[in-house]
Amino acid sequence: MQELLTTSELAKACADDPMIIWAGQGFTPGVRAWYDGDAVAVASPELSKRDRLAVVGPVEDVARLVAKVYAEVGTTFRPFGEEHLIRHLVDRVPGLEFGAAFGWMDTRTAPTHQGGEPAGSHAQAAPQADRGDGLVSAGGPAWLDGDDGVEALLKEAAPSSYAWPGHPAVRRWAAATGDRAELLSVAADAWSAPEIGFLAGVATRPVARGKGLAYRVCAFVTSELVKRHGQAGLMVDGDNAAAISVYRRLGYAYRPVAAAHM
């Protein structure tokens, strides 16, 4: 087992796999990575709410590497990688149990967002016409100056969100707002690495759904992330067909992944 010390070394070892590079987080304090044969593992603490061990490579090499990494850093880190790899890995690492299957999606395309101000603006766009249901999409998508109202919206619309205001890895929030400046739909730039941005915390008020607001907000954030980092990624529940459809329309490609735990 050899330790990798820089993002360039990691990128070479994993053949520029965006999910593995994202896990590296630019080698912020606490992140470590290794390779053994054709296997690569990245131990990343508190990455999207979990101590994650991102892995890639042939299952026999990965199993050998995971055992060595656990001896080095402990077993709190949860293996995370392609679903077929994780399902085979649990049969080869004693005590490892399958956790959940979900999706990883990434893109290098910056979609054209609709209805927002130019990148970086905190101003609201010109008001749009009332759609007849008492809601007006009057502003945004745009970055918010703070996070006022985001927690209340998440509690109402997405209580299981991993990204919440106040978390140190959640850098900023974007939103589409109503005619009274109330938040209608939000998304966050959270757990972004220097080489790949990360979209999280997507939520839309129930009464504002079905109007394309989530698409517009996600398009805005994705565009901003790609411009800044060169690519963007996200994680999504595999059975959330509506969300996956939106992300695919924005240019994201889907990979079935899974996680396991001791």
Side-chain angles (χ1 to χ4, degrees):
M1 180 175 74
Q2 298 293 320
E3 188 158 6
L4 301 163
L5 301 176
T6 67
T7 300
S8 61
E9 291 178 352
L10 176 62
K12 182 178 180 180
C14 72
D16 291 313
D17 186 318
M19 186 172 67
I20 302 300
I21 293 172
W22 170 71
Q25 291 288 290
F27 282 84
T28 53
V31 175
R32 298 180 66 187
W34 306 263
Y35 73 92
D36 188 351
D38 291 325
V40 176
V42 182
S44 193
E46 287 296 312
L47 179 62
S48 191
K49 285 186 62 176
R50 299 283 188 266
D51 288 347
R52 297 185 186 272
L53 184 65
V55 294
V56 67
V59 63
E60 297 298 343
D61 288 0
V62 171
R64 182 174 65 248
L65 180 56
V66 167
K68 294 176 181 178
V69 170
Y70 274 166
E72 184 90 4
V73 301
T75 59
T76 62
F77 289 86
R78 300 182 176 201
F80 157 61
E82 297 277 0
E83 182 178 353
H84 66 86
L85 171 61
I86 299 301
R87 289 191 180 278
H88 288 298
L89 191 63
V90 298
D91 294 329
R92 290 166 171 79
V93 178
L96 193 65
E97 298 181 7
F98 188 84
F102 46 101
W104 165 271
M105 303 186 77
D106 57 66
T107 182
R108 293 180 178 270
T109 302
T112 302
H113 57 273
Q114 302 175 13
E117 288 290 318
S121 173
H122 297 275
Q124 291 190 344
Q128 299 178 3
D130 193 321
R131 299 199 168 97
D133 54 8
L135 286 172
V136 179
S137 180
W143 294 117
L144 298 173
D145 285 318
D147 54 25
D148 290 348
V150 174
E151 184 172 350
L153 190 155
L154 291 174
K155 286 180 177 178
E156 176 187 11
S160 62
S161 172
Y162 278 20
W164 286 83
H167 192 289
V170 179
R171 293 180 173 89
R172 50 186 177 166
W173 293 88
T177 58
D179 58 341
R180 295 177 298 278
E182 73 277 20
L183 302 184
L184 299 180
S185 185
V186 300
D189 168 2
W191 294 287
S192 288
E195 304 79 15
I196 177 169
F198 194 72
L199 172 68
V202 178
T204 302
R205 288 180 59 198
V207 296
R209 291 173 182 166
K211 305 176 186 301
L213 295 180
Y215 177 90
R216 290 170 53 206
V217 173
C218 289
F220 171 78
V221 175
T222 298
S223 181
E224 294 284 282
L225 293 176
V226 171
K227 289 174 187 176
R228 181 171 182 175
H229 302 278
Q231 55 187 327
L234 59 86
M235 290 191 287
V236 62
D237 289 338
D239 59 359
N240 193 339
I244 293 170
S245 176
V246 167
Y247 299 140
R248 279 182 166 147
R249 285 164 53 206
L250 291 171
Y252 286 88
Y254 184 90
R255 294 169 65 181
V257 298
H261 60 86
M262 293 296 280

